[in-house]
Each structure stands twice: as structure tokens, then as C-alpha cells.
């Protein structure tokens, strides 16, 4: 009976000690984040939560930054902030769930409303550009070769001109030899169609008098821009007509990609349009805010952004 009493007494003492440790940790965690936890309590809490040291250090940095607004955030306890960070702020599973849901919402809205509107804009402006672009009325090709001149091999060229749609009366044209793959030039030569026709035969070929690179046309090519044409029937088509094409549409026709489509959506469909990544991130931030508005505001304003 005495042994049973001793064992019972020992068990009660151990249980009491355990309760004391738990209650001490619980009491520390119930403190406002603007207070300091005793080092011994930090040690105990870190044994229970492996990330507590890092969490506690972060809280000290946050509260120092927010000290001017201590009254606004003093109701937040260590436990509340720890739970919020664990369950929401730093929880990759929570983020993944929100992103999956909001991403699906975005895709459904994009496919049902945004994409059809963009396709309509592409067709309408595509037809406008096709009917107004003066480049469609002249097909100009540079026939290139190397010419021996005073003992040096110099690059030469003449023009082959076609009028695929209708006879052209006059035109304004720019051309330049550029490194292959270049889209434009800062040194265009501008001339009229009449001037271009003067060099439309091998016997009238033009050559670069200062160049003597026999491999020049292996690395360079001629590019052309037709700025304006007047047809024999009096019709005039000019690049100036294309100024009416929205900037985002011109960018898309030049480089069709999702980024260009997003700009078109913002300019032509909905001025408040968000890209998929913007929409998903906004949904995630909204979910974080709703989970605990005060903790969210504190961390959003004063935590170190990763």
C-alpha cells in the first residue's frame, strides 16, 4: 500500500510538472507580440515547435518596425500570429489550393468571355490592316551578287518589282541592307517607285563602292518598307492609315504571344483586366486577408518580403 502511495505521489508530481510546463508555454504564447518571452520559455517552446526560434526572431523584427502603431496591433498574441503563419501565410498547401481554384475560375472566364472578344478584335483589325497596308501592292526583291571593280569584289544589287494586286502609279519606298534577321534599320534609303525602276535590270545594278567583302551577301539581306502607294485608278493606301490600329493590336501582329494578348484584353476588352498570374495572386492575397485581417495587415506591412 505504501509503494502504491509512493508511485501515485510520484505520478502526480510528474503530471503536475507537465501541466506547469504546458501552462507556462501556453501563458507565454497568449502574450501580446509586443512583449518579450523569457529565454527559458523560448527554449521550451522551441522543443515543441522546431521553427519557433525563427518565428520569434521574425516577430521581434516586425514589432520593432511597427512600434509606432503598437496600439493597433497589440491585441495580436504570439499564438494567434503563429497559428496564422502556420496555417495560412507560410503554408504552401493553402497557397496551392487557392491558386488551383482561382486559376480554374480565371480559365473559365477567359475562355467564355475574354478569348472570343480578342478573336473578334484580331479578325476585325487583321482585315483592316490587310486592306490598308501599302506593302501588299508592291512585291520588291533585291537580286544580289558580287561585282569585281578595280580589282576589288564589291556587293551589288538590282531590284525585281512586281505588282501583285493592281497597277501602281506612284509609291514611296525605303530600303537598306541589314544583317540577316534584322527587322528594321536606322539608315534607310527612301526613294520613289520611278527611281526604284531605274535599277530594275542587271545592267543597272547598284554597288557599294567602299565595300570589298566577297561574303557580304552571306551575312546581309535587303529589307523594304512601302510607305504609300497610289494605284492607277486613283486609290491611295498609306502606312499613315495604320495609325488607327490600337497599339496593343500592332504589338500582337508583330509578336503574337500571351503577353501581347493580355495587353489587348486590357486596352480593348476590359480596362481592369488582370493577367492569369495577377488574378491568381490577388485571389491568394484576398484569402490571406480574410483568414485574419489584422495579422494579414501586420505581416503585409512589416514582414520582410521574401
Amino acid at each position: 500500500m505504501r509503494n502504491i502511495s509512493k508511485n501515485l505521489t510520484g505520478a502526480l508530481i510528474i503530471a503536475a510538472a507537465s501541466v506547469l510546463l504546458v501552462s507556462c508555454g501556453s501563458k507565454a504564447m497568449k502574450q501580446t507580440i509586443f512583449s518579450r518571452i523569457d529565454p527559458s520559455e523560448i527554449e521550451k517552446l522551441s522543443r515543441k515547435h522546431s521553427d519557433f526560434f525563427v518565428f520569434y526572431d521574425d516577430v521581434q523584427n516586425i514589432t520593432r518596425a511597427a512600434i509606432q502603431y503598437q496600439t493597433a496591433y497589440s491585441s495580436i498574441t504570439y499564438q494567434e500570429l503563429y497559428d496564422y503563419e502556420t496555417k495560412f501565410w507560410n503554408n504552401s498547401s493553402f497557397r496551392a489550393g487557392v491558386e488551383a481554384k482561382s486559376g480554374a475560375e480565371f480559365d473559365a472566364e477567359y475562355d467564355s468571355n475574354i478569348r472570343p472578344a480578342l478573336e473578334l478584335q484580331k479578325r476585325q483589325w487583321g482585315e483592316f490592316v490587310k486592306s490598308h497596308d501599302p506593302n501588299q501592292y508592291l512585291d520588291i526583291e533585291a537580286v544580289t551578287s558580287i561585282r569585281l571593280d578595280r580589282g576589288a569584289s564589291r556587293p551589288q544589287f538590282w531590284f525585281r518589282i512586281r505588282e501583285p494586286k493592281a497597277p501602281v502609279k506612284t509609291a514611296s519606298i525605303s530600303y537598306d541592307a541589314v544583317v540577316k534577321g534584322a527587322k528594321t534599320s536606322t539608315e534607310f534609303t527612301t526613294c520613289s517607285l520611278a527611281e526604284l525602276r531605274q535599277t530594275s535590270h542587271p545592267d543597272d545594278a547598284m554597288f557599294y563602292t567602299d565595300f570589298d567583302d566577297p561574303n557580304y551577301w552571306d551575312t546581309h539581306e535587303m529589307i523594304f518598307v512601302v510607305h504609300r502607294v497610289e494605284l492607277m485608278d486613283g486609290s491611295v493606301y498609306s502606312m499613315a492609315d495604320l495609325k488607327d490600329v490600337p497599339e496593343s493590336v500592332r504589338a500582337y501582329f508583330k509578336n503574337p504571344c500571351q503577353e501581347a494578348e493580355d495587353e489587348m484584353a486590357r486596352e480593348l476588352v476590359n480596362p481592369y483586366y488582370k493577367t492569369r498570374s495577377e488574378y491568381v495572386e490577388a485571389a491568394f492575397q484576398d484569402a490571406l486577408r480574410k483568414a485574419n485581417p489584422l495579422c494579414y495587415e501586420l505581416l503585409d506591412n512589416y514582414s520582410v518580403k521574401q
Side-chain angles (χ1 to χ4, degrees):
M1 190 71 176
R2 186 177 300 167
N3 288 338
I4 293 174
S5 178
K6 277 186 175 181
N7 291 339
L8 182 59
T9 302
L12 289 173
I13 291 172
I14 292 172
S18 298
V19 169
L20 182 61
L21 286 174
V22 172
S23 64
C24 287
S26 176
K27 184 178 179 181
M29 291 295 281
K30 287 180 180 178
Q31 293 177 188
T32 174
I33 55 173
F34 287 89
S35 65
R36 297 293 179 264
I37 299 178
D38 185 88
S40 62
E41 293 300 321
I42 296 175
E43 188 69 32
K44 293 173 187 176
L45 289 166
S46 67
R47 288 198 292 269
K48 184 178 180 181
H49 305 290
S50 60
D51 60 347
F52 190 79
F53 273 131
V54 173
F55 166 74
Y56 185 75
D57 188 54
D58 286 345
V59 171
Q60 305 319 301
N61 291 330
I62 290 169
T63 52
R64 278 194 291 271
I67 192 64
Q68 185 178 353
Y69 304 99
Q70 178 175 348
T71 303
Y73 302 113
S74 60
S75 64
I76 301 174
T77 66
Y78 281 100
Q79 187 69 60
E80 183 181 12
L81 189 60
Y82 182 83
D83 289 345
Y84 177 73
E85 287 195 7
T86 303
K87 295 177 183 177
F88 304 106
W89 188 265
N90 294 326
N91 191 319
S92 58
S93 295
F94 175 73
R95 172 184 275 274
V98 173
E99 289 182 344
K101 182 175 182 295
S102 58
E105 292 173 352
F106 177 90
D107 293 340
E109 169 65 17
Y110 193 89
D111 290 339
S112 62
N113 293 315
I114 303 299
R115 192 185 304 280
L118 288 178
E119 292 305 316
L120 178 61
Q121 293 288 342
K122 291 175 192 176
R123 287 195 301 273
Q124 290 178 338
W125 286 113
E127 292 170 1
F128 179 86
V129 169
K130 186 177 179 180
S131 63
H132 286 76
D133 187 354
N135 288 272
Q136 67 185 304
Y137 293 98
L138 283 176
D139 180 8
I140 307 169
E141 176 189 2
V143 183
T144 60
S145 61
I146 297 296
R147 170 178 176 175
L148 188 63
D149 176 64
R150 297 192 298 274
S153 297
R154 307 187 192 282
Q156 70 171 6
F157 56 91
W158 57 276
F159 302 111
R160 183 178 289 137
I161 305 167
R162 302 180 183 89
E163 300 160 66
K165 290 199 170 186
V168 178
K169 182 178 181 181
T170 62
S172 174
I173 302 148
S174 291
Y175 66 89
D176 189 23
V178 298
V179 174
K180 286 186 175 180
K183 302 293 184 182
T184 188
S185 169
T186 57
E187 300 179 355
F188 276 119
T189 297
T190 300
C191 64
S192 67
L193 179 59
E195 291 171 323
L196 208 65
R197 281 176 171 154
Q198 291 175 5
T199 317
S200 58
H201 190 276
D203 293 343
D204 302 316
M206 299 172 66
F207 68 100
Y208 292 110
T209 57
D210 297 329
F211 289 18
D212 56 4
D213 180 3
N215 300 314
Y216 183 82
W217 292 118
D218 293 335
T219 57
H220 289 69
E221 63 184 346
M222 195 72 74
I223 59 172
F224 300 89
V225 178
V226 180
H227 301 283
R228 180 183 181 279
V229 297
E230 180 186 359
L231 306 185
M232 289 299 183
D233 64 5
S235 301
V236 175
Y237 298 92
S238 171
M239 290 290 282
D241 298 337
L242 303 183
K243 69 180 183 302
D244 295 328
V245 180
E247 183 178 349
S248 62
V249 176
R250 279 183 269 132
Y252 175 81
F253 288 159
K254 185 177 181 180
N255 180 29
C257 61
Q258 186 58 53
E259 183 179 351
E261 281 201 358
D262 289 335
E263 288 305 315
M264 283 178 61
R266 187 173 287 115
E267 182 178 8
L268 304 176
V269 180
N270 179 1
Y272 304 105
Y273 169 83
K274 291 184 176 67
T275 66
R276 192 181 197 279
S277 59
E278 290 170 342
Y279 182 92
V280 168
E281 180 61 24
F284 176 60
Q285 294 299 323
D286 190 50
L288 287 177
R289 186 183 298 106
K290 288 178 179 178
N292 189 316
L294 196 59
C295 285
Y296 174 84
E297 181 181 303
L298 175 71
L299 294 176
D300 187 54
N301 288 333
Y302 300 107
S303 66
V304 177
K305 300 295 189 294
Q306 299 301 319

